[in-house]
Amino acid sequence: QVQLVESGGGLVQPGGSLRLSCAASGFTFSGFSMAWYRQVLGKERELVASITPDGSSTINLHSVKGRFTISRDNAKSTGYLQMNSLKPDDTAVYYCYAWVTAWGRTEYWGQGTQVTVSS
């Protein structure tokens, strides 16, 4: 059974840090690119950061550059999003997404984890 399970969300004060984890199972995680998206209720889901199977990373969302870092540990089939200097505007549900394009596109989504930044 294919699963992407996010964890690490919660309530944090402005300026604080959280590290989100995305544990993959049921497929060869090391062969998939991975990304983190976030979504605020009533708004479109937006791409935060992405990382290739070999670890080349990109922060796609300008507002989090210099504060967020994406990484992965293929041996543990887990991806991470380190979030520092959190702001109230970072409040959202964060989703893990994995995909590969080979003979078509295969993609998986996690169920999401809530991050709330508030004093």
Side-chain angles (χ1 to χ4, degrees):
Q1 181 183 3
V2 171
Q3 281 191 309
L4 286 175
V5 180
E6 299 99 333
S7 60
L11 174 63
V12 63
Q13 292 187 342
S17 297
L18 285 174
R19 187 175 82 154
L20 304 183
S21 297
C22 172
S25 61
F27 66 100
T28 307
F29 177 75
S30 60
F32 280 63
S33 295
M34 201 202 83
W36 288 94
Y37 283 75
R38 70 185 189 186
Q39 187 171 26
V40 176
L41 190 63
K43 296 187 177 181
E44 290 190 359
R45 193 170 294 189
E46 58 184 1
L47 174 62
V48 177
S50 56
I51 189 166
T52 63
D54 64 357
S56 178
S57 63
T58 302
I59 299 296
N60 301 89
L61 189 61
H62 177 75
S63 63
V64 308
K65 284 185 177 180
R67 300 188 296 120
F68 289 13
T69 303
I70 187 172
S71 62
R72 64 191 296 161
D73 185 338
N74 286 336
K76 295 182 178 180
S77 294
T78 302
Y80 304 97
L81 184 67
Q82 178 67 44
M83 306 185 295
N84 299 328
S85 302
L86 283 161
K87 304 176 181 180
D89 284 350
D90 295 319
T91 295
V93 178
Y94 284 73
Y95 295 91
C96 176
Y97 172 67
W99 80 96
V100 64
T101 303
W103 306 105
R105 186 178 182 94
T106 301
E107 56 187 14
Y108 305 117
W109 285 95
Q111 83 289 348
T113 186
Q114 176 70 48
V115 171
T116 302
V117 185
S118 175
S119 55

